[in-house]
Amino acid sequence: MQILSGKEVAAHVRGHLKKDIEQIVAKGRRPPGLAVVLVGDDSASQVYVGSKIKACKEAGVQSFEYRLPKNATYLDIQKVLKECIDNDQVDGILVQLPLPPGINTDEVIALIPPEKDADCLTAGNLGRLFKNQHVIAPCTPSGVMEILKYYKHSLEGLNAVVVGRSQIVGLPMAQLMIQANATVTVAHSKTKDLKSLLQKADVVVVAAGRPKFLGRDFFKKDAIVIDVGIHRDENKKLCGDVNTEGLSKSSYSVRWCGADDDCDVVT
Amino acid sequence: MQILSGKEVAAHVRGHLKKDIEQIVAKGRRPPGLAVVLVGDDSASQVYVGSKIKACKEAGVQSFEYRLPKNATYLDIQKVLKECIDNDQVDGILVQLPLPPGINTDEVIALIPPEKDADCLTAGNLGRLFKNQHVIAPCTPSGVMEILKYYKHSLEGLNAVVVGRSQIVGLPMAQLMIQANATVTVAHSKTKDLKSLLQKADVVVVAAGRPKFLGRDFFKKDAIVIDVGIHRDENKKLCGDVNTEGLSKSSYSVRWCGADDDCDVVT
């Protein structure tokens, strides 16, 4: 198994970004600003938000953190979002999902203006992505494309499979790979014989949300496997949707990137 | 070859629609209204617009036809669209594409309010389609789904291939089939070995825009092939992207629907 290090790609991207921002600031302009809105106390969301704030600091991006209690109302969230929208130091807004039950997520997302929609959550920006118009693509699929770019894996003409059909990962992932000229198959829980489908794939992006459910026998030799699943296993250790034990012991030269202590995905 | 008759499906759908509309009108309410906007003198577009107006008449839908010369400006189109938007007898607006060169199509489409966007042309509605939100899906992919529904072909668990990745047909077609639980592959001009990909497909939707480029050897026995391509061949006869000569003579029981005099697609 060859490891495609998400950490290495993230450090590379942030290093470039830091230099660009330093140049902008040296010219007397303000650094870019990202507002992160977290509602409630979901533990995974708290980790994500913490990582985002940390990544902003490393790159020289100004971050604005808004934390609301889990019993916050739509009007409370609207008020915070208005503040982000009116703040001309904020270029992008990230509303951390999921929102607590009782809050209509679509109504909240519709409040984000497209030009400040940092995670392509709004219907308009998602539509622009599928129209091949210039838009900030969703973070996770963009991270996967960065990993492939960093390791100089061109997708042109390759057979790619995306496992998962979520609005935030699976579907935009497929679209970005179609734009990069891969032949893309979207597989999901109703797919029959996933194993034989994956065994023919040159590139597999796994975003199924099921811990360790794909083993080494699912991938062909030299396949590129990018696992965006992130879970805690029975020993509280980070794991993905792919069971890497078999992979690392195998003679297969699968090129793998996923969640463990050495190799987290780009965020 | 078993023919899936697009004409039969269209007649069935329009028959039902006609009854529904008659009931609405009997209750004293107005019939639904569709505005069709044609700019320029593209011959194919004139045929399409003619068919749409005819289909409206058959179903009892009130149609509003706007024809503008090919030298119409953005402001001319905007004026007509404003009339359609303000007219409360118009429920849906169809802007016939392509628009003449010199007109920015995206700017014109952005004028259509989402609630009157009858062909899912706006970015917001296309995004809602990929978010699984309720939206009027684009006409051609919706027609294909109607054909499959009429012939009681459930897509659940089937391997489907869409040939073509356009915003108006290929990509939303893939999404509608993913929603119907098919495992969907999007193939296109950069796909390597299209033949072996198609030979494994249970369902193929061809929207490549290349006359007669797929022959009988591309499909497996019992495959369902829906060809939305529409062209004139060297004898000025309607044809699709599939060369049906081989298909009709073969012992293959391919279930086919496409453009010829007996079997046009639902519009």
Side-chain angles (χ1 to χ4, degrees):
Chain A
M1 183 171 79
Q2 179 200 336
I3 286 187
L4 309 177
S5 166
K7 277 202 171 140
E8 188 178 317
V9 181
H12 172 82
V13 170
R14 284 175 201 153
H16 271 276
L17 199 58
K18 191 170 191 274
K19 275 189 197 155
D20 290 350
I21 293 173
E22 280 168 355
Q23 286 184 354
I24 290 172
V25 173
K27 285 179 188 157
R29 287 168 57 200
R30 67 164 176 80
L34 180 72
V36 184
V37 180
L38 174 61
V39 187
D41 49 12
D42 181 87
S43 59
S45 291
Q46 291 192 341
V47 173
Y48 291 141
V49 166
S51 307
K52 285 165 187 169
I53 304 286
K54 188 166 162 268
C56 281
K57 279 206 184 103
E58 279 170 28
V61 173
Q62 206 182 348
S63 63
F64 300 83
E65 201 180 338
Y66 293 89
R67 287 174 186 262
L68 288 164
K70 66 179 174 193
N71 59 354
T73 64
Y74 172 77
L75 289 177
D76 297 331
I77 302 173
Q78 191 183 33
K79 202 179 147 195
V80 160
L81 285 176
K82 192 172 179 323
E83 215 174 292
C84 300
I85 293 163
D86 293 343
N87 185 344
D88 59 14
Q89 298 208 303
V90 170
D91 301 291
I93 301 170
L94 268 181
V95 175
Q96 186 66 46
L97 301 182
L99 293 170
I103 298 289
N104 184 325
T105 303
D106 291 331
E107 277 177 18
V108 170
I109 288 171
L111 297 171
I112 306 171
E115 65 279 9
K116 293 197 176 188
D117 177 18
D119 205 8
C120 202
L121 292 176
T122 61
N125 280 2
L126 191 65
R128 278 174 206 107
L129 184 76
F130 286 91
K131 279 172 165 270
N132 289 344
Q133 292 175 2
H134 179 74
V135 77
I136 297 165
C139 301
T140 307
S142 299
V144 172
M145 296 306 281
E146 281 296 330
I147 293 169
L148 294 169
K149 198 173 116 191
Y150 181 83
Y151 287 102
K152 299 190 172 50
H153 292 306
S154 161
L155 291 176
E156 178 138 343
L158 296 190
N159 290 318
V161 177
V162 178
V163 186
R165 52 180 162 172
S166 71
Q167 172 228 319
I168 192 71
V169 183
L171 299 176
M173 186 74 252
Q175 172 62 2
L176 292 180
M177 297 206 293
I178 290 168
Q179 284 175 359
N181 291 329
T183 301
V184 181
T185 302
V186 178
H188 44 73
S189 54
K190 302 289 181 190
T191 292
K192 283 180 187 158
D193 202 359
L194 180 63
K195 191 184 277 190
S196 73
L197 178 70
L198 293 183
Q199 278 165 345
K200 280 180 259 149
D202 304 307
V203 182
V204 181
V205 178
V206 192
R210 290 176 58 191
K212 296 187 183 180
F213 93 110
L214 296 177
R216 60 166 275 191
D217 50 332
F218 280 76
F219 308 107
K220 75 171 187 183
K221 194 172 172 298
D222 294 329
I224 298 167
V225 179
I226 300 191
D227 177 4
V228 303
I230 185 160
H231 318 275
R232 293 271 172 195
D233 69 8
E234 57 284 4
N235 304 317
K236 305 280 173 201
K237 203 175 163 314
L238 279 178
C239 71
D241 292 353
V242 176
N243 186 346
T244 52
E245 278 174 38
L247 274 185
S248 58
K249 283 177 196 153
S250 78
S251 57
Y252 273 34
S253 55
V254 164
R255 287 158 290 178
W256 172 82
C257 184
D260 71 11
D261 294 334
D262 296 321
C263 170
D264 65 359
V265 292
V266 178
T267 48
Chain B
M1 183 171 80
Q2 177 200 337
I3 287 186
L4 308 177
S5 166
K7 277 202 171 141
E8 189 177 317
V9 182
H12 172 83
V13 171
R14 283 175 201 152
H16 273 274
L17 198 59
K18 190 169 192 273
K19 274 189 198 155
D20 290 348
I21 293 172
E22 280 167 356
Q23 285 184 353
I24 289 171
V25 173
K27 286 179 188 159
R29 289 167 56 199
R30 67 163 176 80
L34 180 72
V36 184
V37 180
L38 175 62
V39 186
D41 50 12
D42 181 86
S43 60
S45 290
Q46 292 192 340
V47 173
Y48 291 140
V49 166
S51 307
K52 284 166 188 170
I53 304 285
K54 187 165 163 270
C56 281
K57 279 207 183 102
E58 279 171 28
V61 173
Q62 205 182 349
S63 63
F64 300 83
E65 200 179 338
Y66 293 90
R67 288 174 185 261
L68 288 165
K70 65 178 174 193
N71 60 353
T73 63
Y74 171 78
L75 289 176
D76 296 332
I77 301 172
Q78 190 182 32
K79 201 179 147 194
V80 160
L81 285 176
K82 192 174 178 322
E83 214 173 292
C84 300
I85 294 164
D86 293 342
N87 186 343
D88 59 14
Q89 297 208 304
V90 170
D91 301 291
I93 301 170
L94 267 181
V95 175
Q96 186 66 46
L97 301 181
L99 293 170
I103 298 289
N104 183 324
T105 303
D106 291 330
E107 277 178 18
V108 170
I109 287 171
L111 296 170
I112 306 171
E115 65 279 9
K116 291 196 176 188
D117 177 17
D119 205 8
C120 202
L121 292 177
T122 60
N125 280 2
L126 191 64
R128 276 172 207 109
L129 184 74
F130 285 91
K131 279 172 165 271
N132 288 343
Q133 291 175 3
H134 179 73
V135 76
I136 298 165
C139 301
T140 307
S142 299
V144 172
M145 296 306 283
E146 281 296 332
I147 293 169
L148 294 170
K149 197 173 116 190
Y150 181 82
Y151 286 102
K152 298 188 173 49
H153 291 306
S154 161
L155 291 177
E156 177 138 342
L158 296 190
N159 289 318
V161 177
V162 178
V163 186
R165 51 179 162 173
S166 71
Q167 173 229 318
I168 192 72
V169 183
L171 298 178
M173 186 74 251
Q175 172 62 3
L176 292 181
M177 296 207 293
I178 289 169
Q179 284 175 359
N181 291 330
T183 300
V184 181
T185 302
V186 177
H188 44 73
S189 55
K190 303 289 182 189
T191 292
K192 283 180 186 160
D193 202 1
L194 180 63
K195 190 183 277 189
S196 73
L197 179 69
L198 293 183
Q199 278 166 345
K200 280 180 265 173
D202 305 307
V203 182
V204 182
V205 178
V206 193
R210 290 175 57 190
K212 297 187 184 180
F213 91 111
L214 296 177
R216 61 166 275 194
D217 49 334
F218 279 77
F219 307 107
K220 75 171 189 183
K221 192 171 174 298
D222 294 331
I224 298 167
V225 179
I226 300 191
D227 178 4
V228 302
I230 184 158
H231 318 274
R232 293 270 172 197
D233 69 8
E234 58 284 2
N235 302 317
K236 304 277 174 205
K237 202 175 163 321
L238 280 177
C239 71
D241 292 352
V242 176
N243 186 345
T244 53
E245 278 174 38
L247 274 186
S248 59
K249 281 176 196 156
S250 77
S251 56
Y252 273 32
S253 54
V254 164
R255 287 157 291 178
W256 173 83
C257 183
D260 71 11
D261 294 335
D262 295 321
C263 170
D264 65 358
V265 290
V266 178
T267 50

